[in-house]
Amino acid sequence: MKEKDVFFPVDGELLMILPRAAATIRNPDVQLPIFQVDADGYFLEMRVQADPEDKSEVALTRRVRLEDITEEEWEEIKEQYANVDIKACTDEGISKGLEKIQDRRVQRLFMALLTFLNPRQISIVLFLYKKAREQGNGPLVYFRANELLKSLGYTSTQKGTITARSRSQLNQDLVALHRTELVFAQSLKKGNTRGAKVIVKSILRIRDYEIDNLPRDFDLAKAADYTYELADAYTVALEFFDGPQQTGDYVLFSNSIDIKQKQGSNAKYDYKTKLLIYLANRMKWDTLTEGQYLVISRQYLFKNLDLLASNQSRNNQILWRTIKELQAEGYILDAQEISGKRKMINIHLKINQDKLRHN
């Protein structure tokens, strides 16, 4: 059986920054959103500071470029920011923290930035990389919206349609992945000195979309900002695609990966997807070879799974329940908790190379 029939590759550079790009507002390394103006235009930014204790916890900025706005609109958006309740966002949820913002477009803008790369969106990214392998057109991927919705586990109603809320959410997710830029530094050797190259990329860029039944008024940005609509098909370009196509820097995921969402539950509680992506991330940083164990500090597992509540016992229960889920699905062959130096607790994880393998 060919490797193509068993695995699909996901770009290594993307995986090395993905958990940081997905860091939530509760993460101690995340700074509050700020407004930025430079020669390139107006931006709303969230910065993730590096953690000096671990090289994998890199610095990164995610930003939304505010296009086609006047200076007056820019000032209005900044005024709306005063209505964001950051404490409610962290304690009660993002929706609660944004409920005082009256302008739907501004509310959705903040929502997209604060919840960027939640597990549902990461599942969409995995679907697209799998589709890229199947289609063989490099970074360009064409897909029908209903196919993606069904892969995510959304089922049709008795009338044979998927709910407007689910359809609307997909367009908002795709536009968020399209609009939000990631800014990060890549180490660069220059002769005897070491510098850095600053990279700006989106996860994907929407190239075009299709509407089946005309006349139908559909605008990609307006649908994401104001309405509850979805195009019938999209073509996107995956901006992180150098690894699978050129450099050989990628992680192979099993074609049997399950990206279905638990219906009725909030995507932020999908710890299984968070842990799977973090393990793929650490396989790149730790250059794991077959037969070796990943050794990860429990505190970093807590941080990257967004288990940041003060109840450490509950955090530990959720962590081990999630590890057992991935064991049941065959991704983890063995897991042990071992005390290290200075009472540091490390988790030793043996990854099944038949389900997850880095190149």
Side-chain angles (χ1 to χ4, degrees):
M1 187 178 289
K2 295 180 181 178
E3 192 176 77
K4 183 177 180 180
D5 299 326
V6 182
F7 293 103
F8 64 94
V10 178
D11 187 272
E13 181 182 58
L14 173 60
L15 283 169
M16 290 180 86
I17 65 166
L18 202 54
R20 301 298 279 172
T24 74
I25 196 168
R26 298 170 68 233
N27 189 303
D29 300 331
V30 169
Q31 298 181 332
L32 297 181
I34 62 170
F35 295 96
Q36 189 77 14
V37 184
D38 60 28
D40 293 328
Y42 299 99
F43 297 92
L44 178 61
E45 295 185 348
M46 281 183 69
R47 296 177 183 174
V48 184
Q49 297 293 92
D51 185 330
E53 298 296 320
D54 194 298
K55 64 181 181 180
S56 70
E57 304 284 293
V58 296
L60 177 142
T61 296
R62 64 190 195 227
R63 69 184 191 185
V64 177
R65 189 186 299 263
L66 302 174
E67 297 176 303
D68 302 322
I69 66 166
T70 64
E71 191 170 334
E72 184 180 2
E73 289 172 321
W74 169 247
E75 293 302 325
E76 285 177 7
I77 291 174
K78 288 200 290 185
E79 286 176 15
Q80 290 277 355
Y81 184 41
N83 292 322
V84 177
D85 187 337
I86 296 296
K87 188 174 189 307
C89 283
T90 56
D91 295 349
E92 303 174 64
I94 303 295
S95 296
K96 185 70 175 176
L98 299 179
E99 66 181 9
K100 291 179 183 176
I101 294 180
Q102 301 301 314
D103 188 316
R104 176 181 275 181
R105 176 175 178 251
V106 175
Q107 187 183 70
R108 285 189 174 178
L109 176 69
F110 280 109
M111 177 70 75
L113 188 70
L114 293 171
T115 64
F116 184 65
L117 279 177
N118 62 42
R120 184 185 56 253
Q121 291 177 358
I122 286 176
S123 294
I124 291 169
V125 172
L126 293 174
F127 169 91
L128 294 172
Y129 272 92
K130 184 179 179 183
K131 204 74 178 163
R133 164 53 69 95
E134 291 171 5
Q135 294 179 356
N137 294 322
L140 283 179
V141 182
Y142 170 85
F143 62 96
R144 302 284 301 174
N146 279 350
E147 179 192 6
L148 175 49
L149 284 166
K150 287 174 182 175
S151 295
L152 291 170
Y154 296 109
T155 54
S156 301
T157 63
Q158 289 182 336
K159 295 180 180 179
T161 59
I162 294 171
T163 63
R165 181 180 178 83
S166 298
R167 294 175 63 79
S168 163
Q169 186 62 63
L170 177 56
N171 187 66
Q172 290 176 50
D173 287 334
L174 290 169
V175 172
L177 293 168
H178 161 90
R179 278 177 174 165
T180 308
E181 298 174 336
L182 301 177
V183 185
F184 58 99
Q186 186 182 66
S187 181
L188 197 64
K189 194 171 183 181
K190 297 182 177 181
N192 295 323
T193 62
R194 186 165 292 280
K197 177 171 69 173
V198 177
I199 296 168
V200 181
K201 286 183 180 179
S202 296
I203 301 288
L204 59 86
R205 297 292 291 176
I206 298 172
R207 291 292 178 85
D208 58 59
Y209 54 93
E210 297 175 8
I211 307 299
D212 287 348
N213 299 312
L214 295 175
R216 177 182 162 204
D217 183 23
F218 177 82
D219 180 280
L220 195 73
K222 284 182 180 176
D225 292 340
Y226 298 108
T227 65
Y228 293 92
E229 296 183 85
L230 177 70
D232 295 296
Y234 296 79
T235 299
V236 302
L238 301 172
E239 293 218 328
F240 289 86
F241 206 78
D242 293 342
Q245 196 167 41
Q246 299 172 13
T247 64
D249 176 19
Y250 52 81
V251 172
L252 292 166
F253 284 75
S254 169
N255 278 340
S256 64
I257 189 169
D258 180 9
I259 62 169
K260 288 185 174 63
Q261 307 297 291
K262 288 183 179 177
Q263 300 305 298
S265 66
N266 193 313
K268 71 180 182 180
Y269 298 120
D270 181 2
Y271 298 109
K272 185 180 73 171
T273 298
K274 291 180 186 179
L275 180 56
L276 183 62
I277 291 298
Y278 187 58
L279 294 180
N281 162 273
R282 291 301 294 252
M283 286 171 73
K284 289 302 306 176
W285 280 103
D286 300 355
T287 57
L288 181 73
T289 58
E290 191 165 358
Q292 287 184 324
Y293 280 74
L294 278 176
V295 180
I296 308 175
S297 163
R298 188 176 69 175
Q299 77 178 70
Y300 283 108
L301 285 165
F302 283 169
K303 185 164 75 169
N304 283 279
L305 267 65
D306 204 33
L307 295 172
L308 299 166
S310 58
N311 188 334
Q312 295 293 292
S313 176
R314 182 176 180 275
N315 293 341
N316 204 43
Q317 284 180 350
I318 294 172
L319 171 62
W320 279 99
R321 187 176 69 214
T322 308
I323 289 172
K324 285 182 169 60
E325 279 188 75
L326 288 184
Q327 280 184 299
E329 293 187 12
Y331 288 97
I332 297 172
L333 296 175
D334 186 36
Q336 303 169 27
E337 185 174 286
I338 297 175
S339 297
K341 295 177 181 177
R342 293 176 294 177
K343 297 183 179 179
M344 180 79 72
I345 294 176
N346 292 322
I347 309 296
H348 292 226
L349 299 152
K350 189 172 185 180
I351 307 300
N352 183 357
Q353 304 282 313
D354 292 334
K355 299 280 281 186
L356 196 63
R357 183 191 308 168
H358 84 89
N359 195 54

